[in-house]
Amino acid sequence: MHLSTITPPQPVEPHEMMTPDPNARYIHGDQVHQDCIPKENMVFATEEEGYAFYMQYARAAGFGSKKHKNKAMSRVYACSRQGSSEFYKEAEKRKRGKMSKRIGCMASVKLKLRGKEWFYERVELEHNHTLNPDPCEVKHMRSHKNKHPVMMDYVDGLQHSGVSPNATVNVLTELHGDYGHMLMNARDLENRRAANLRKEQVDDVKKLVTFFNECRAQNPKFYSDIDYDSEGVVKNIFWSHASCQANYAEFKDVVTFDTTYRSNFYRMPLGMFVGSNHHLQNVIFGFALVGDETEETFEWVFRTFQRCMEGKDPICILTDQDQAMANAIRRVFLETIHRLCRWHMLNKHTVELNKLYYLHKGLEEKLLTAVNHPLTPLEFENAWKEMVTEHGLQNDPTLRGLYEHRASWIAAYFKGIFCGTMTSTQRSESTNRMVKRYHVDKSTPLHMFARRMYQMLQRRKDDEGLETVYSQDPPDTKTNYHLEHQLGRIYTRAVFKKYQDAYFAATSFRTKKVDTCNFLVYYGREGPTFSWSQHEFKVVCNEEEEKYTCECRGWEHTGLLCPHLIIVLINEQIQKIPSQYVLRRYSRNAHIDLPYDRNDTVQTGPDGSSLSCRNSDLLSEAFATVQAGRRSTVAYKRAMTVLKELRKQLEEIPADEMPVRGEPATHDEDGHLGTVLKAPPKSKTKGSRTEAGAEQIIGARGPKLCTRLCGNCGLFEGHNAATCTRRQQTFAVGGSSAGRGRGRGRGRGRGRGRGRNEKGKGVMRARRRLLDDVEEEDEDEDEQEKDYEAASETSCESDDSD
């Protein structure tokens, strides 16, 4: 039988325990090539060549270097551990535990000027400390960190683009060929980012105004306005690019407006005017950063937006249930219909509704059905009456309040108003989420915020261009019906898909002819399951007068044919539909001719070539040169020689003057000349925490609301299963794990938790269900929305289990 031997840990050698010899000297090893070792009387054409040579030797030998003396005729370059530290006096307490590395090392070289050349007059290579030639150690020495301006600009570009630190390290590693050869560590990148952030926050408002002037010089249609007080402190900011105003001219029918927080350094809430284009994608009409959310502030924002759009108000605007915002809309947009978001209406009463859901089983499903499905006000009235009667909630204050405001948030009451495919502020919220997830954060200064919003606009424009190209493909028709082929040629791909969905739904209906032009459309084999549902819809189909209407008023509400009308058109063999029933905003030719250029910038030089094309060509050639030059020593030396000479020649060539479409912003369009604008204070928004210096409150503020359900007794009395006085005492070996059900994960209680009914479905999970029937998300955001929905479900589940 084989017996294994256990080897104990090895101790240090006895000589390692002795005090190091102060007279010991160390020099470079064999890894340093002889041609790279400094020698006396070595001649260099310039001072920079002499310093670069010594730095190359120091990197190979494994020590840091510094410029020790700088005289008129000579330079001294020494080891970084030369001299001694005098920062702290003997009796002074050190602020940091880090000690100085200076131990009086005398290794150095003296570079002296002789005529027109430089030479090493004195060379001392011996050190009084060990060397660290390992590349992974050399890269942490300050003198050998690569801080070339071009490389630093590249790193700054990555950080400004939102590239994560780990991804930045991976990119730099790929450029250097190996992580050990990258003369910069992750901490250096973090320090660089922090330094850039501090630099960007200096003269923030001045830089913002400069950016606005640059945009106006590129396109005079750019609009901006800054509201400030008597002391010049910025209060509110609004701006809109030429492309935003062009989109508003084409798709101004329906606008959503919502505010979001934590998007900039000053905590100013961001408000965006958002709509949908002919591809059913989100488009932004304007940006606003506000200091607060008062009625006066919203009125300033809406009036500024109105002036920017030359007094053209939208047909309908959708917001959340903010009274200050509603009052401002009523004052500014006199002819615009204000509509409230359905989800916000229910979310405002989450606590009260959760109690009702627990006490009345099945109420949640009936409430959401009554909100979503009725097509006419009569259907909604019948559904609501049936719900409150069944559960005996005729006098409940929460439901009574929702019912009293039904005309402002129930879709059935807006069937005669064009709202497109928008029934809530979902588009604003999805845009807000994308802004904070991919472009800005709570540390972004104002001028960088405006620049990144411009970058987001360009990305949205690129997405629109992609969908426009795809819409040029022949339509994917499902039938030989001529009307489908006609609409497939006119509609964009996204809108045509909506028509096909309605066509499929139309097959569930049957028609009954009343007279020549009037029909009754009713459900076929699969009828409605709700007693309050309207079983028949009156449809008018008059081919001679080109009149087609439906009682559900689906076309008037969305601008798209409803299933009831489609089934009548099919049965009556209507081959073509009049042009008045096909809205331009849904067609492939939705863009109209405008008296101004919708492009935000001029990107072509005098010769007509674009800057992006030049940049792309130069980058491709530069990367190819690097790959070819690193293959051999001869190729490397040749490439370096040619590139250095080429760079000198290029720097002597003056830059082109880019053409502009407006004056270089010397005029005072915003009225800021003569006023020194100051950065705004950090805003206090709705739901903000206490002011700085205020007394800290531990736990929930105010009296207990008793909204959490006890998992033991099932009562709302402000306690949980652990603190329940009715809980039977249990004893078990193992302590805290006792009493937890088998297979139940740690931290998961037995109770249903806040906001759950008998099926474990909370009102917070109703958001998607509220919008599934009519809300349309952007196709280009499908993957992002899937991630968000998964995160939302996880968040809701964790909230419910609290």
Side-chain angles (χ1 to χ4, degrees):
M1 182 177 64
H2 176 70
L3 297 177
S4 60
T5 303
I6 299 177
T7 305
Q10 293 293 327
V12 298
E13 297 294 335
H15 67 85
E16 297 181 65
M17 300 295 296
M18 300 176 62
T19 302
D21 184 5
N23 297 321
R25 295 294 179 264
Y26 305 88
I27 199 171
H28 57 263
D30 297 336
Q31 79 278 1
V32 182
H33 196 273
Q34 290 296 322
D35 295 338
C36 298
I37 301 176
K39 302 178 182 62
E40 294 183 359
N41 297 321
M42 291 187 69
V43 180
F44 304 94
T46 61
E47 172 193 354
E48 290 75 15
E49 291 184 6
Y51 178 68
F53 185 87
Y54 187 69
M55 287 291 296
Q56 182 181 2
Y57 164 73
R59 185 182 299 109
F63 66 94
S65 63
K66 66 177 182 177
K67 294 181 178 181
H68 181 46
K69 294 181 180 180
N70 187 0
K71 297 183 178 180
M73 302 295 292
S74 65
R75 310 285 188 269
V76 176
Y77 308 130
C79 174
S80 60
R81 306 190 70 176
Q82 179 269 343
S84 59
S85 175
E86 299 179 355
F87 185 80
Y88 293 102
K89 298 179 181 179
E90 294 183 0
E92 186 178 358
K93 183 179 179 180
R94 301 185 68 87
K95 298 180 180 179
R96 299 177 59 187
K98 183 180 179 181
M99 302 296 291
S100 174
K101 293 186 176 63
R102 296 185 180 184
I103 55 175
C105 181
M106 300 303 295
S108 62
V109 297
K110 182 178 181 180
L111 185 67
K112 192 170 184 179
L113 179 63
R114 182 174 56 192
K116 295 184 178 181
E117 61 184 12
W118 296 77
F119 71 99
Y120 284 150
E121 183 184 42
R122 184 184 71 249
V123 176
E124 179 59 53
L125 302 180
E126 292 185 348
H127 300 257
N128 64 350
H129 57 87
T130 58
L131 305 182
N132 306 92
D134 192 330
C136 293
E137 299 171 358
V138 173
K139 64 185 296 183
H140 297 288
M141 300 178 184
R142 179 179 300 180
S143 59
H144 296 308
K145 292 179 179 179
N146 186 2
K147 295 184 178 180
H148 192 279
V150 176
M151 184 59 67
M152 290 295 99
D153 289 344
Y154 185 72
V155 172
D156 294 343
L158 292 176
Q159 293 179 345
H160 289 166
S161 301
V163 180
S164 66
N166 288 337
T168 303
V169 171
N170 294 338
V171 172
L172 296 178
T173 300
E174 186 69 21
L175 292 177
H176 288 83
D178 185 76
Y179 184 80
H181 296 152
M182 187 184 70
L183 302 179
M184 188 181 300
N185 54 36
R187 184 62 183 175
D188 296 329
L189 298 177
E190 289 294 332
N191 292 339
R192 181 75 179 183
R193 184 181 183 280
N196 289 337
L197 187 59
R198 291 192 297 269
K199 183 178 179 181
E200 291 169 357
Q201 291 173 354
V202 177
D203 296 332
D204 192 10
V205 178
K206 182 179 179 180
K207 294 176 182 178
L208 175 67
V209 174
T210 301
F211 172 71
F212 286 168
N213 291 337
E214 293 174 356
C215 294
R216 188 174 295 110
Q218 292 289 326
N219 194 323
K221 191 63 177 176
F222 174 82
Y223 186 93
S224 65
D225 194 3
I226 299 179
D227 182 27
Y228 52 90
D229 59 17
S230 58
E231 298 180 356
V233 178
V234 173
K235 297 167 55 179
N236 308 299
I237 307 170
F238 175 86
W239 71 98
S240 177
H241 293 268
S243 59
C244 299
Q245 300 171 53
N247 286 329
Y248 184 79
E250 297 160 349
F251 310 110
K252 63 179 178 295
D253 311 293
V254 188
V255 176
T256 68
F257 182 80
D258 190 27
T259 55
T260 186
Y261 313 108
R262 300 175 65 85
S263 63
N264 56 84
F265 177 74
Y266 302 98
R267 303 176 186 171
M268 299 179 71
L270 167 66
M272 289 187 291
F273 295 88
V274 181
S276 64
N277 63 5
H278 54 314
H279 298 296
L280 303 184
Q281 297 171 326
N282 291 351
V283 289
I284 302 174
F285 303 139
F287 303 90
L289 289 173
V290 297
D292 53 45
E293 294 174 285
T294 61
E295 184 175 332
E296 293 75 11
T297 297
F298 284 128
E299 183 175 352
W300 180 90
V301 171
F302 295 148
R303 291 196 184 279
T304 306
F305 176 79
Q306 193 178 55
R307 288 195 302 269
C308 174
M309 302 305 172
E310 301 176 350
K312 300 176 181 177
D313 297 345
I315 297 176
C316 179
I317 184 169
L318 292 89
T319 68
D320 60 6
Q321 195 179 11
D322 188 288
Q323 189 59 43
M325 192 182 301
N327 295 339
I329 291 175
R330 194 179 303 112
R331 290 182 181 180
V332 179
F333 302 124
L334 303 180
E335 303 297 331
T336 299
I337 298 174
H338 182 206
R339 180 175 176 181
L340 301 180
C341 173
R342 288 185 293 172
W343 180 81
H344 280 97
M345 287 294 298
L346 294 180
N347 185 66
K348 182 179 179 180
H349 303 282
T350 300
V351 175
E352 296 81 0
L353 290 176
N354 284 339
K355 291 182 178 180
L356 295 177
Y357 293 158
Y358 178 77
L359 298 175
H360 302 273
K361 295 183 179 181
L363 175 63
E364 180 185 9
E365 183 177 357
K366 289 184 174 62
L367 175 61
L368 296 181
T369 301
V371 169
N372 289 324
H373 293 291
L375 298 177
T376 62
L378 180 61
E379 281 192 351
F380 173 77
E381 300 283 350
N382 294 335
W384 192 272
K385 182 178 180 180
E386 178 182 301
M387 176 188 68
V388 296
T389 302
E390 178 181 350
H391 295 281
L393 298 173
Q394 294 89 338
N395 297 322
D396 182 79
T398 301
L399 295 180
R400 189 170 62 248
L402 291 174
Y403 182 77
E404 290 175 355
H405 293 86
R406 62 190 182 279
S408 62
W409 65 283
I410 296 298
Y413 290 88
F414 289 86
K415 288 299 182 178
I417 302 170
F418 179 79
C419 294
T421 58
M422 295 187 289
T423 61
S424 71
T425 59
Q426 178 75 7
R427 290 189 178 274
S428 289
E429 293 172 2
S430 63
T431 305
N432 293 341
R433 183 178 61 255
M434 185 172 60
V435 165
K436 294 193 291 185
R437 186 176 183 180
Y438 297 104
H439 298 280
V440 298
D441 55 32
K442 61 182 180 180
S443 65
T444 306
L446 294 179
H447 72 283
M448 288 302 303
F449 184 93
R451 292 181 183 275
R452 290 178 181 175
M453 292 303 96
Y454 170 74
Q455 295 174 1
M456 185 188 67
L457 287 179
Q458 301 308 305
R459 291 183 58 179
R460 304 299 304 171
K461 185 177 180 180
D462 184 73
D463 294 339
E464 179 184 345
L466 177 65
E467 190 63 25
T468 299
V469 172
Y470 285 161
S471 293
Q472 294 176 353
D473 296 340
D476 182 19
T477 56
K478 305 298 183 182
T479 68
N480 291 325
Y481 186 30
H482 188 273
L483 178 60
E484 182 182 13
H485 288 266
Q486 179 193 23
L487 297 179
R489 293 192 303 268
I490 300 174
Y491 282 153
T492 61
R493 187 176 64 162
V495 178
F496 184 62
K497 179 63 169 56
K498 298 282 290 184
Y499 164 78
Q500 290 182 322
D501 293 341
Y503 185 96
F504 178 80
T507 58
S508 299
F509 294 91
R510 300 292 182 267
T511 61
K512 182 193 305 181
K513 194 168 186 178
V514 178
D515 54 36
T516 306
C517 301
N518 296 303
F519 300 83
L520 287 179
V521 177
Y522 59 94
Y523 286 94
R525 182 173 55 185
E526 298 180 0
T529 58
F530 310 116
S531 59
W532 44 262
S533 294
Q534 184 171 337
H535 293 263
E536 294 182 339
F537 296 89
K538 298 177 182 179
V539 175
V540 177
C541 179
N542 191 331
E543 186 175 9
E544 293 182 359
E545 298 182 2
E546 296 185 344
K547 182 179 179 181
Y548 303 93
T549 60
C550 178
E551 187 181 7
C552 76
R553 311 194 73 177
W555 186 88
E556 291 82 354
H557 184 60
T558 64
L560 300 173
L561 299 177
C562 66
H564 317 120
L565 191 54
I566 291 177
I567 190 62
V568 173
L569 295 176
I570 295 174
N571 292 344
E572 293 300 305
Q573 299 183 6
I574 304 298
Q575 300 299 313
K576 293 183 179 180
I577 191 170
S579 59
Q580 62 263 30
Y581 291 96
V582 180
L583 301 184
R584 175 178 287 274
R585 72 172 346 265
Y586 293 140
S587 68
R588 301 184 183 186
N589 300 320
H591 289 317
I592 60 178
D593 294 332
L594 299 169
Y596 54 87
D597 192 345
R598 64 190 307 139
N599 295 315
D600 296 322
T601 58
V602 179
Q603 298 184 342
T604 57
D607 58 349
S609 61
S610 64
L611 293 179
S612 58
C613 182
R614 297 180 191 175
N615 192 65
S616 177
D617 293 343
L618 288 173
L619 281 177
S620 301
E621 197 65 32
F623 278 117
T625 302
V626 171
Q627 293 177 354
R630 68 183 183 182
R631 294 187 301 173
S632 64
T633 304
V634 176
Y636 166 76
K637 293 181 178 180
R638 176 61 177 169
M640 291 297 294
T641 302
V642 173
L643 289 176
K644 289 180 179 179
E645 182 64 26
L646 177 61
R647 180 182 175 184
K648 292 181 181 179
Q649 297 176 7
L650 295 178
E651 289 177 347
E652 295 175 357
I653 302 175
D656 293 336
E657 293 185 3
M658 299 302 298
V660 296
R661 288 173 287 200
E663 295 297 327
T666 56
H667 55 290
D668 186 23
E669 179 170 324
D670 294 333
H672 301 148
L673 291 182
T675 303
V676 179
L677 298 181
K678 302 176 184 178
K682 292 190 176 182
S683 301
K684 292 294 296 180
T685 58
K686 295 182 299 184
S688 299
R689 297 177 180 246
T690 57
E691 297 283 352
E695 181 182 357
Q696 295 294 325
I697 302 176
I698 306 300
R701 292 166 174 78
K704 287 190 175 183
L705 299 179
C706 301
T707 58
R708 292 194 177 186
L709 173 69
C710 175
N712 182 58
C713 64
L715 299 178
F716 293 95
E717 293 185 351
H719 64 266
N720 54 30
T723 59
C724 181
T725 57
R726 302 172 180 81
R727 184 169 65 94
Q728 295 181 357
Q729 188 69 22
T730 58
F731 299 92
V733 179
S736 60
S737 63
R740 196 169 61 227
R742 174 175 293 184
R744 188 180 302 277
R746 185 178 299 275
R748 295 177 59 188
R750 291 180 179 272
R752 295 185 179 93
R754 181 181 61 186
R756 286 182 176 268
N757 58 11
E758 73 281 3
K759 297 181 181 179
K761 300 178 180 178
V763 71
M764 292 298 293
R765 307 180 74 174
R767 178 175 187 172
R768 296 297 171 194
R769 295 164 57 188
L770 277 171
L771 309 176
D772 282 345
D773 52 345
V774 290
E775 189 63 67
E776 182 66 28
E777 288 295 336
D778 296 344
E779 291 187 9
D780 58 295
E781 293 180 0
D782 282 346
E783 295 300 325
Q784 299 177 15
E785 292 303 318
K786 291 178 182 177
D787 296 340
Y788 172 75
E789 289 171 4
S792 299
E793 291 295 330
T794 305
S795 176
C796 292
E797 291 176 1
S798 62
D799 289 344
D800 293 341
S801 62
D802 288 345

